[in-house]
């Protein structure tokens, strides 16, 4: 009985081995050995290559970010912005190139003949050509944006979009050959196809300009106002916060406009790229405080008080008598 069971099991094992042998010798098993494994290896190699390219690009970007964080610079240099944009483009192009090469290799392994697809591909290509025009336009526009260094990662830009009544304003988070991604001051993300960009205005290229308009009453002594403003301009770079943002001393341009009860004077200052808005806010606080100390109102019948902002240290302390003379006018 035991001998019969053993013989039966041996026969089953031999039968299973024969079926396994016949499977790999059959057409499907032979296809797996000769072609299937090559296709699988090509796909795995493509995935690993794409991940390696992404890792290298992320490492370059991370090193640029760390270098900027460890430096004492308040804004990124133009070279750093351009390198990050180029790294993003190279990553995208490399992955597309790897995908195309692997698809061609797989078609060769599978002995897929493309000769029979020439005629249908011509018809389909003609139909898709009209739709691909926008894609080609996006790619060409993105190429020239990168080459001409119109803007890069971290730039504050204003883009005029074809067919849109409003401009897209924000900080560049990513630039590829096809699209530009911006983040607005409200946190919104704009993804703009490069081919639809009619005009780009870079608000943080090399340097920026802060423009501050100061409306004062027509009854004010303009000579005294100019004297106060010139004094603040001379001392602006000595301010601990504002001095880091300015490239040179602010300039009083003079009277910009005249209204019924106000005269508007303009003050301009060259600042670090993208810092014009922050510098403008600090300048306004300093100007208001200086005019208040001098007893000059900034508009007709306006009530002006001394601005005591802890974030903006004054060049000199204001005495209690000065405060009492300029508040509640």
């Amino acid at each position: 009985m035991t001998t019969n069971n053993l013989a039966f099991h041996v026969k089953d094992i031999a039968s299973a081995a024969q079926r396994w042998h016949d499977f790999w010798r059959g057409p499907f098993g032979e296809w797996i050995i000769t072609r299937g494994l090559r296709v699988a290896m090509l796909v795995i190699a493509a995935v690993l290559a794409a991940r390696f390219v992404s890792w290298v690009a992320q490492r370059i970007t991370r090193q640029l970010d760390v270098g900027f964080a460890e430096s004492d610079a308040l804004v990124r240099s133009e070279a750093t912005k351009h390198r990050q944009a180029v790294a993003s483009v190279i990553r995208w192009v490399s992955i597309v190139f790897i995908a195309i090469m692997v698809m061609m290799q797989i078609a060769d392994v599978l002995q897929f003949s493309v000769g029979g697809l020439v005629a249908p591909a011509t018809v389909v290509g003609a139909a898709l050509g009209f739709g691909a025009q926008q894609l080609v336009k996006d790619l060409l526009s993105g190429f020239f944006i990168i080459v001409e260094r119109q803007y890069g990662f971290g730039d504050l830009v204003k883009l005029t979009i074809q067919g849109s009544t409003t401009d897209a304003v924000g900080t560049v988070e990513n630039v590829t050959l096809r699209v530009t991604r911006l983040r607005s001051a409200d946190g919104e993300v704009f993804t703009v196809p490069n081919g639809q960009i009619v005009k780009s205005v870079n608000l943080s290229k090399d340097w920026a300009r802060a423009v501050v308009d100061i409306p004062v009453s027509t009854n004010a002594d303009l000579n005294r106002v100019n004297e106060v403003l010139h004094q603040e301009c001379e001392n602006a770079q000595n301010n601990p916060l504002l001095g880091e943002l300015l490239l040179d001393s602010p300039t009083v341009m003079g009277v910009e406009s005249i209204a019924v009860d106000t005269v508007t004077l303009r003050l301009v200052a060259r600042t670090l790229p993208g810092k014009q808005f922050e510098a403008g806010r600090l300048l306004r606080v300093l100007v208001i405080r200086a005019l208040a100390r001098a007893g000059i109102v900034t508009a007709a019948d306006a009530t002006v008080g001394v601005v005591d902002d802890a974030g903006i240290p004054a060049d000199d302390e204001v005495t209690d008598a000065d405060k009492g003379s300029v508040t509640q006018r």
Side-chain angles (χ1 to χ4, degrees):
M1 185 71 178
T2 305
T3 304
N4 292 335
N5 289 336
L6 181 60
F8 180 76
H9 286 301
V10 169
K11 185 177 180 181
D12 286 342
I13 294 173
S15 177
Q18 184 62 36
R19 289 196 300 270
W20 183 255
H21 180 269
D22 293 340
F23 171 79
W24 290 110
R25 291 295 182 182
F28 187 70
E30 186 177 356
W31 183 88
I32 293 177
I33 294 175
T34 57
R35 300 181 184 178
L37 289 178
R38 292 181 61 186
V39 171
M41 293 299 294
L42 286 172
V43 173
I44 294 174
V47 172
L48 292 177
R51 291 181 66 88
F52 175 75
V53 170
S54 299
W55 177 79
V56 171
Q58 291 175 359
R59 185 175 180 84
I60 293 174
T61 302
R62 193 178 301 114
Q63 287 179 347
L64 293 174
D65 291 337
V66 171
F68 170 71
E70 292 179 350
S71 68
D72 56 354
L74 296 181
V75 295
R76 298 177 185 269
S77 65
E78 294 299 324
T80 301
K81 298 176 189 176
H82 184 67
R83 289 192 190 104
Q84 287 190 291
V86 170
S88 176
V89 171
I90 291 177
R91 172 188 177 186
W92 185 80
V93 172
S94 299
I95 292 176
V96 172
F97 178 76
I98 291 171
I100 293 175
M101 292 298 297
V102 169
M103 291 175 62
M104 294 177 61
Q105 291 291 331
I106 291 176
D108 183 60
V109 170
L110 298 178
Q111 297 181 352
F112 185 76
S113 178
V114 296
L117 298 178
V118 173
T122 303
V123 178
V124 175
L128 295 178
F130 296 99
Q133 288 179 356
Q134 184 61 46
L135 176 61
V136 175
K137 183 179 179 181
D138 293 341
L139 297 178
L140 288 176
S141 299
F143 172 78
F144 285 110
I145 287 174
I146 300 299
V147 171
E148 297 173 357
R149 300 192 179 191
Q150 297 180 17
Y151 51 80
F153 177 83
D155 274 330
L156 179 63
V157 299
K158 179 169 66 173
L159 304 179
T160 302
I161 305 172
Q162 182 180 5
S164 177
T165 57
T166 59
D167 296 336
V169 181
T171 303
V172 178
E173 286 196 339
N174 193 18
V175 183
T176 66
L177 289 181
R178 197 183 73 83
V179 298
T180 296
R181 189 168 70 238
L182 308 178
R183 185 174 294 275
S184 68
D186 298 329
E188 301 171 333
V189 176
F190 297 98
T191 302
V192 183
N194 293 327
Q196 296 184 12
I197 299 175
V198 179
K199 181 178 68 174
S200 64
V201 179
N202 194 331
L203 303 177
S204 57
K205 181 77 171 179
D206 297 328
W207 58 273
R209 174 172 289 165
V211 179
V212 177
D213 288 335
I214 306 106
V216 297
S217 172
T218 53
N219 297 325
D221 185 355
L222 293 184
N223 291 330
R224 177 58 178 159
V225 174
N226 279 316
E227 181 182 345
V228 172
L229 294 180
H230 279 95
Q231 184 177 1
E232 286 301 313
C233 290
E234 293 176 358
N235 299 329
Q237 288 188 300
N238 298 328
N239 189 281
L241 297 180
L242 184 59
E244 295 182 350
L245 307 179
L246 298 177
L247 296 179
D248 48 33
S249 297
T251 303
V252 179
M253 304 301 293
V255 177
E256 178 65 21
S257 63
I258 301 175
V260 175
D261 54 0
T262 59
V263 177
T264 301
L265 293 88
R266 173 161 294 182
L267 185 150
V268 298
R270 284 203 320 144
T271 70
L272 292 173
K275 297 297 183 178
Q276 65 269 35
F277 305 109
E278 182 179 354
R281 287 189 290 268
L282 296 176
L283 274 173
R284 289 182 182 92
V285 173
L286 292 179
V287 167
I288 291 175
R289 183 166 56 192
L291 293 177
R293 286 201 303 266
I296 302 171
V297 294
T298 57
D301 300 328
T303 301
V304 179
V306 175
V307 178
D308 187 11
D309 193 334
I312 305 192
D315 298 329
D316 52 353
E317 294 296 332
V318 182
T319 63
D320 294 337
D322 291 335
K323 291 182 180 179
S325 65
V326 297
T327 54
Q328 299 300 327
R329 285 190 171 274

